[in-house]
Amino acid sequence: MPHKDRVNVFITGGTTGIGYSLAKLYQSKGHTVGVCGRDLSKINDDSLDCYAVDVTSEEQIKEAVKKFCEKNGPLNVMIANAGIAMGPKDGKVNFTLARDVIKINVLGVINTFDAAMENFPESGGHLVGVASVAALVGLPGAGPYSASKAAVLRLCESYGLDWKRRGVDVTAICPGFIDTPLTQKNDHKMPFLMSSEKAAGKMYAAIEKRMPLFVFPWQMNILMRFAEKVPRWFYRLIVMKGMGLAMPKAGSDSKTPEITNS
Ligand SMILES: NC(=O)c1ccc[n+]([C@@H]2O[C@H](COP(=O)([O-])OP(=O)(O)OC[C@H]3O[C@@H](n4cnc5c(N)ncnc54)[C@H](OP(=O)(O)O)[C@@H]3O)[C@@H](O)[C@H]2O)c1
């Protein structure tokens, strides 16, 4: 069922970027919106109900959603959008950052869904996980990010099956490149880059239709699904050629990547 009546929506990572654009869109349609982020100085908008929350803390996200619901009534839609990416691709393997990516992008989504399930009415609700097209393949320089988003995709697929009978729909969204603070630090090309307002419009429509999976823009959907389906040796060949690397011969020494923990 589309959310035609006024609904209560909570968006994690709603202080900037995609989350903020989604929050403003929901608000403009007459819905009640709560947002959270770790640093509320990033948002300068008194019209939104804002909570200082680190989604890696089960207690913090549960407390914030409980407060939002005490004010506004039961939750109807939870959008687990908070996430971080790997940062500049300098060729170094950063395991500290890798741990943070998994904690925020995976554990954060589990904590967020947990908080939502405690605050949905008996009739059910709608969970939305913001993954990425990076979920569909292992992207170079973004192993933990790709892994974290693949986990979100699979969590959503499984939970969608588990909770359908309880009236809970689950939507996974895989955006391509969206112009936000997260991508503004990228120094590589970003094909089919889209504004966060346009992205929010497309995501809103997919959520309204309760689509189990939405991958956009369509060009990125075709490209990444092709990359997902081809034999893995062919994917490696294409990507390594693109990176200007020769395919290592079986048994030959490969160059060890530089490792950093800071
Ligand atoms: N931009 C893209 O091209 C793109 C493409 C595919 C998928 N995505 C995904 O879309 C989501 C939103 O990304 P964006 O591009 O809008 O990035 P963004 O502008 O950097 O926004 C990220 C939001 O998440 C919050 N956040 C980060 N870590 C958090 C934590 N531990 N606890 C609570 N909030 C946290 C940030 O606030 P604080 O830092 O203050 O906590 C901010 O509000 C992410 O999951 C991202 O992976 C983005």
Side-chain angles (χ1 to χ4, degrees):
M1 281 266 297
H3 309 122
K4 286 210 175 67
D5 303 325
R6 189 194 67 76
V7 291
N8 292 330
V9 187
F10 197 95
I11 306 174
T12 67
T15 57
T16 62
I18 296 171
Y20 181 69
S21 295
L22 266 175
K24 296 308 287 179
L25 185 57
Y26 269 98
Q27 199 182 41
S28 74
K29 308 253 181 209
H31 302 304
T32 304
V33 188
V35 298
C36 75
R38 291 165 300 183
D39 175 8
L40 292 189
S41 71
K42 286 184 182 172
I43 188 166
N44 188 14
D45 187 334
D46 293 339
S47 72
L48 287 170
D49 198 0
C50 304
Y51 299 84
V53 166
D54 183 336
V55 291
T56 63
S57 160
E58 180 190 335
E59 291 72 30
Q60 284 183 26
I61 182 68
K62 283 190 172 175
E63 188 58 31
V65 179
K66 192 168 151 233
K67 271 192 196 150
F68 174 75
C69 293
E70 279 166 3
K71 263 194 251 170
N72 304 296
L75 186 70
N76 305 107
V77 185
M78 170 60 89
I79 306 181
N81 164 77
I84 60 166
M86 289 304 291
K89 295 180 179 52
D90 53 10
K92 292 180 182 160
V93 178
N94 185 331
F95 287 116
T96 303
L97 187 52
R99 278 185 279 271
D100 286 345
V101 167
I102 298 294
K103 271 187 223 154
I104 295 173
N105 295 7
V106 183
L107 186 61
V109 171
I110 291 173
N111 288 340
T112 302
F113 283 178
D114 186 1
M117 292 295 280
E118 286 186 357
N119 288 280
F120 281 152
E122 278 293 303
S123 54
H126 194 167
L127 296 171
V128 180
V130 179
S132 164
V133 292
L136 302 175
V137 293
L139 286 178
Y145 187 71
S146 281
S148 72
K149 294 304 186 179
V152 173
L153 209 55
R154 293 297 169 236
L155 273 175
C156 288
E157 190 168 38
S158 294
Y159 287 159
L161 298 169
D162 295 340
W163 296 332
K164 187 72 189 166
R165 266 196 224 101
R166 291 169 61 181
V168 176
D169 287 310
V170 185
T171 297
I173 300 186
C174 292
F177 289 114
I178 313 300
D179 189 7
T180 69
L182 183 139
T183 48
Q184 279 152 14
K185 59 187 181 226
N186 284 349
D187 54 8
H188 56 78
K189 282 190 189 152
M190 293 186 280
F192 319 116
L193 184 70
M194 185 182 278
S195 73
S196 66
E197 292 80 13
K198 192 170 174 189
K202 290 186 178 296
M203 291 166 73
Y204 180 86
I207 297 167
E208 285 290 285
K209 287 183 202 149
R210 296 189 176 244
M211 287 170 72
L213 173 65
F214 178 54
V215 185
F216 77 103
W218 65 266
Q219 300 95 326
M220 206 52 132
N221 186 14
I222 292 174
L223 195 71
M224 297 302 276
R225 282 177 188 268
F226 174 75
E228 182 192 18
K229 295 283 179 297
V230 295
R232 299 335 284 157
W233 66 264
F234 184 66
Y235 172 72
R236 280 195 300 278
L237 182 75
I238 297 294
V239 175
M240 291 178 84
K241 267 192 182 294
M243 295 167 75
L245 297 172
M247 280 289 273
K249 289 192 189 106
S252 70
D253 280 353
S254 56
K255 210 172 161 225
T256 310
E258 195 176 332
I259 293 174
T260 168
N261 272 309
S262 59

